[in-house]
Amino acid sequence: MILTPLATGFPRFANQDWDAIAKRDGAAAAWAKMAEHGDLPKLLAQVGGDFAVGLRDSLGRTWLAVDRFAQRTLCYRVDGDELRFAERADALAGGDERISAQAVFDYLYFHNIPSPGTIYQQVHRLPPGHYALFDQGKLTVAPYWTPAFTEPRGASFDALRDEFRELLKRAVQQQLDGSKPACFLSGGTDSSTVAGMMSELGVGQVSGYSIGFDAQGYDEMEYARLAARRFGTSHHEYYVTPADLLRSIPAVAQHFDQPFGNSSALPAYYCAKMAREDGVTRLLAGDGGDELFGGNSRYAKQRVFGLYEHVPALVRKGLMEPLLGTGAASALALTRKAKSYVEQARMPMPDRLQLYNLIMRLGPSEVLDDGFLRHVDLQAPLRLQQQVWQQAGQCHALNRELAYDWRFTLAESDLPKVNGATSMAGVSVGFPLLDQGLLDFSLRLPLDYKLRGHQLRWFFKEALRGFLPDEIISKKKHGFGLPFGVWTTRTPALLALARDSLHGLAGRGVLRSDFVKPLLEQRLHEHPGYYGEMVWILMMLEQWLQAKAPHCRFN
């Protein structure tokens, strides 16, 4: 079998000869030329942009690579003496392909199936910043790039601000393709920045597309309108309803090549759909700003736990831990909080994150069927997290958290969400905040410019003060959060869909039958936001299985 070369995305070759070939003959020709020149990892590290490439070179080797954030994805499987590859995992699944119980558990843990695994036992996905080389029956998979933070202490804010703004403008410009200029516009810092930079470029009337929800605490359309007024964009908005969910949940679940549980995929799809109906063929998205510049609230929270290391060991070991380790410490609210703080602070990262993990907090044995659990290694997700945590090398804990989120938040969750939603709507997407220039800039940004005290992404916001409205700079992060739990408690048809889906998983031997009823009839009503997330990921798993693996059983 001759494998057709695969080359997607928009790679940017540092080598001028290869760049010229790409512009003249296409990226596949440039990749083929590059493959003739020796050290593959070293050469790949010189390529920027978003890309996925798979080809067989003149030496008879098959090699694959994806960009640093896996903006473009590539899956593979070894069949005898051949390495097969495709953009989607389901494109490589044979008729007798078995669903992996471990992958199902990984999905429940992460709300997606992180690379290098996929839902299929014999199919793998290339992690971000990695390459695969198949030569004479031997497969090598390794990173060609890992982040290297410099962490300078002294810096000129004015010089960095000017450089940053220029990099932003250039990054946005490079993502435009000459079609109708348009972007997602949630009203948050990132999407508003992209919209503003597009307007400054003078590329014509920019269209912004926003999603709202008629549910208290979930809608922030006013911020999107504020950004639209500030930058003079043509504003378009759509309010997602429970009826939209009922129509689209099965289709959205089945569009992905494997189970995917990020609930923002559905509103993102409606946003992209609105844009497509308006004649848009390409949308720019603001993903990446939080992870490159320190914008997630978790970073400030983990810094508080890091302070415990500076308490003298004699006080920690001789006083605090013995006193707070007693049963009496749980009696009073103040000592309960102190006890919880010490328990969390004593746990290293990323192990500490398990304390907030939904499936682990509920207890796998309380949720999952005993027979299913016999096929699962409960510690496998943590080992993957620890491996990624270590890949950042020697750097400050904050930068290590950022690099960790480049993998688990961006590459495994947010980017697949946007890519899946836009592809379903028939629109292409670009991520200017993940531009190579901005990435390199973030790697050398001082630590206190990312998190100053407890001020998240301090530099990003201060550098854009006067450009962005003050209300957007000071607002709390929200995005396209979906009020699924709230709506499910109030919409009988939505609750019925969830109930049928969860009972379907119980019938497959995944869920404990006695977990479903209290989850839907008691816990969901008591805490719809929290337990609604569990209902959502379970429902989306079953909806995917119904379409792609209807006969899958674990009992």
Side-chain angles (χ1 to χ4, degrees), residues 514-526:
D514 57 2
F515 172 73
V516 175
K517 185 175 181 179
L519 173 64
L520 293 177
E521 297 184 6
Q522 179 182 346
R523 293 179 173 180
L524 181 62
H525 290 267
E526 292 172 349

Side-chain angles (χ1 to χ4, degrees), residues 421-497:
T422 51
S423 66
M424 185 174 175
V427 177
S428 72
V429 64
F431 301 100
L433 296 187
L434 299 181
D435 180 80
Q436 184 67 40
L438 286 170
L439 170 60
D440 292 342
F441 180 87
S442 75
L443 289 170
R444 56 183 171 84
L445 200 61
L447 283 167
D448 69 338
Y449 276 30
K450 297 173 182 176
L451 179 61
R452 175 159 291 190
H454 297 294
Q455 296 179 60
L456 300 170
R457 60 192 301 178
W458 176 84
F459 171 79
F460 192 107
K461 292 179 178 179
E462 289 303 314
L464 293 173
R465 192 170 293 280
F467 176 75
L468 292 176
D470 288 343
E471 297 91 336
I472 288 177
I473 288 177
S474 61
K475 71 179 285 293
K476 292 184 178 180
K477 180 177 172 60
H478 194 279
F480 286 159
L482 183 68
F484 171 73
V486 173
W487 283 349
T488 301
T489 62
R490 302 172 182 174
T491 310
L494 204 52
L495 181 61
L497 177 62

Side-chain angles (χ1 to χ4, degrees), residues 21-88:
I21 292 172
K23 291 176 179 177
R24 185 182 67 242
D25 303 323
W31 286 119
K33 190 69 175 177
M34 192 191 83
E36 300 174 1
H37 290 77
D39 189 343
L40 185 60
K42 183 178 180 180
L43 295 173
L44 285 167
Q46 299 173 25
V47 183
D50 58 300
F51 62 83
V53 56
L55 56 82
R56 188 176 178 86
D57 65 22
S58 59
L59 299 176
R61 307 175 303 174
T62 301
W63 62 271
L64 322 172
V66 295
D67 63 74
R68 289 160 174 76
F69 295 105
Q71 297 174 69
R72 304 284 176 156
T73 59
L74 203 54
C75 298
Y76 62 91
R77 66 177 294 166
V78 176
D79 281 345
D81 59 354
E82 181 178 84
L83 182 69
R84 295 174 54 204
F85 52 86
E87 293 180 72
R88 296 174 58 97

Side-chain angles (χ1 to χ4, degrees), residues 49-210:
D50 58 300
F51 62 83
V53 56
L55 56 82
R56 188 176 178 86
D57 65 22
S58 59
L59 299 176
R61 307 175 303 174
T62 301
W63 62 271
L64 322 172
V66 295
D67 63 74
R68 289 160 174 76
F69 295 105
Q71 297 174 69
R72 304 284 176 156
T73 59
L74 203 54
C75 298
Y76 62 91
R77 66 177 294 166
V78 176
D79 281 345
D81 59 354
E82 181 178 84
L83 182 69
R84 295 174 54 204
F85 52 86
E87 293 180 72
R88 296 174 58 97
D90 51 4
L92 296 173
D96 59 348
E97 200 65 55
R98 295 186 62 189
I99 298 296
S100 165
Q102 183 65 52
V104 171
F105 178 74
D106 292 349
Y107 165 82
L108 298 176
Y109 185 100
F110 291 104
H111 305 182
N112 57 70
I113 302 170
S115 57
T118 73
I119 191 66
Y120 305 106
Q121 291 184 8
Q122 302 302 320
V123 180
H124 306 277
R125 186 160 55 90
L126 204 57
H130 277 61
Y131 75 97
L133 181 64
F134 191 69
D135 187 14
Q136 297 181 349
K138 179 183 178 182
L139 176 66
T140 300
V141 179
Y144 65 81
W145 176 84
T146 53
F149 297 92
T150 57
E151 303 181 359
R153 291 189 177 276
S156 165
F157 172 82
D158 290 345
L160 287 175
R161 177 199 58 210
D162 294 345
E163 181 185 2
F164 175 61
R165 287 198 177 193
E166 187 58 35
L167 286 170
L168 273 174
K169 187 179 295 186
R170 187 186 312 160
V172 170
Q173 187 172 36
Q174 289 179 334
Q175 290 290 342
L176 299 173
D177 64 356
S179 63
K180 181 177 181 178
C183 63
F184 288 100
L185 184 56
S186 69
T189 307
D190 293 329
S191 65
S192 298
T193 298
V194 172
M197 288 295 168
M198 292 176 73
S199 296
E200 275 207 350
L201 287 168
V203 293
Q205 179 72 58
V206 176
S207 294
Y209 296 87
S210 308

Side-chain angles (χ1 to χ4, degrees), residues 214-229:
D214 187 13
Q216 185 176 0
Y218 286 87
D219 183 56
E220 55 176 25
M221 186 67 79
E222 187 51 45
Y223 289 101
R225 294 168 184 159
L226 178 64
R229 290 193 296 269

Side-chain angles (χ1 to χ4, degrees), residues 328-350:
S330 301
L332 300 174
L334 182 60
T335 51
R336 269 200 308 273
K337 289 183 178 179
K339 179 179 181 180
S340 174
Y341 170 81
V342 170
E343 288 175 347
Q344 294 181 64
R346 292 179 65 188
M347 189 173 292
M349 287 285 282

Side-chain angles (χ1 to χ4, degrees), residues 159-307:
L160 287 175
R161 177 199 58 210
D162 294 345
E163 181 185 2
F164 175 61
R165 287 198 177 193
E166 187 58 35
L167 286 170
L168 273 174
K169 187 179 295 186
R170 187 186 312 160
V172 170
Q173 187 172 36
Q174 289 179 334
Q175 290 290 342
L176 299 173
D177 64 356
S179 63
K180 181 177 181 178
C183 63
F184 288 100
L185 184 56
S186 69
T189 307
D190 293 329
S191 65
S192 298
T193 298
V194 172
M197 288 295 168
M198 292 176 73
S199 296
E200 275 207 350
L201 287 168
V203 293
Q205 179 72 58
V206 176
S207 294
Y209 296 87
S210 308
I211 289 296
F213 308 100
D214 187 13
Q216 185 176 0
Y218 286 87
D219 183 56
E220 55 176 25
M221 186 67 79
E222 187 51 45
Y223 289 101
R225 294 168 184 159
L226 178 64
R229 290 193 296 269
R230 177 62 167 263
F231 299 119
T233 63
S234 175
H235 183 61
H236 306 264
E237 56 187 52
Y238 182 82
Y239 272 76
V240 175
T241 68
D244 290 326
L245 266 62
L246 283 166
R247 279 193 299 271
S248 303
I249 280 172
V252 170
Q254 295 162 21
H255 177 74
F256 287 86
D257 63 341
Q258 55 185 344
F260 186 71
N262 188 326
S263 62
S264 294
L266 195 141
Y269 161 66
Y270 271 94
C271 198
K273 179 174 178 287
M274 173 174 50
R276 186 70 186 92
E277 292 169 351
D278 195 38
V280 170
T281 57
R282 183 170 178 79
L283 281 166
L284 300 194
D287 299 80
D290 282 334
E291 292 73 24
L292 266 64
F293 295 96
N296 287 329
S297 60
R298 180 175 66 256
Y299 306 147
K301 183 176 183 179
Q302 298 309 320
R303 172 170 284 186
V304 173
F305 291 122
L307 296 175

